[in-house]
Amino acid sequence: MRGEILGFERRRRWSDEEKLGIVMSVGTDGATVTQVAQRHEITRQQIYAWRHDLKNKGLWSPDAGALFLPFDIPENGVPAIADTPTFAAPMAVELRLRNGRSLHFDSNMAAVALTQLIRAVEAV
């Protein structure tokens, strides 16, 4: 019986800090899981597995790096956002409402449209 060696197996060891850095880079500057995986020469599934493992170890939270901005919506008006930061590029925003629902929208969404959206969702 004859065998051939076609290549070498490449198994890398990643520390929790390295894994966390890779997982946290998803979404930074709009980077997708696929782009981050390609950049580090790993599979998308590996990133998802690391997320799960790091979450179980208490090292990663989906809300990590979240920016919370308090704002009030007057009865007849536009939301007044306190200390609004300026972002160079649009960012994904998640807004959690009192009724338990969440809205996902782009950071460059007009305040008037956002107000109308919030009112529509709360009216349901």
Side-chain angles (χ1 to χ4, degrees):
M1 180 178 240
R2 185 178 146 192
E4 286 183 51
I5 298 174
L6 300 175
F8 63 93
E9 181 181 0
R10 189 171 97 185
R11 180 172 286 243
R12 294 176 285 180
R13 302 284 180 200
W14 301 88
S15 69
D16 283 343
E17 291 80 24
E18 291 171 318
K19 292 176 186 178
L20 185 60
I22 292 170
V23 168
M24 295 290 289
S25 66
V26 174
T28 304
D29 295 327
T32 64
V33 173
T34 301
Q35 292 168 335
V36 172
Q38 289 171 347
R39 187 179 320 137
H40 296 282
E41 297 179 349
I42 56 176
T43 65
R44 291 175 35 235
Q45 291 75 17
Q46 187 66 62
I47 292 177
Y48 293 122
W50 286 350
R51 275 185 183 174
H52 181 76
D53 291 341
L54 291 169
K55 186 177 176 184
N56 286 343
K57 290 179 179 179
L59 298 174
W60 181 77
S61 169
D63 295 332
L67 178 64
F68 295 97
L69 300 173
F71 67 94
D72 295 316
I73 301 176
E75 280 299 314
N76 295 319
V78 177
I81 300 176
D83 301 321
T84 308
T86 8
F87 300 110
M91 297 176 62
V93 177
E94 178 182 2
L95 176 64
R96 295 182 185 170
L97 303 174
R98 278 183 257 166
N99 61 11
R101 294 186 177 142
S102 295
L103 296 176
H104 299 266
F105 54 91
D106 207 57
S107 63
N108 62 0
M109 183 175 191
V112 174
L114 178 58
T115 301
Q116 292 172 344
L117 179 62
I118 292 170
R119 287 189 178 140
V121 170
E122 286 187 334
V124 176

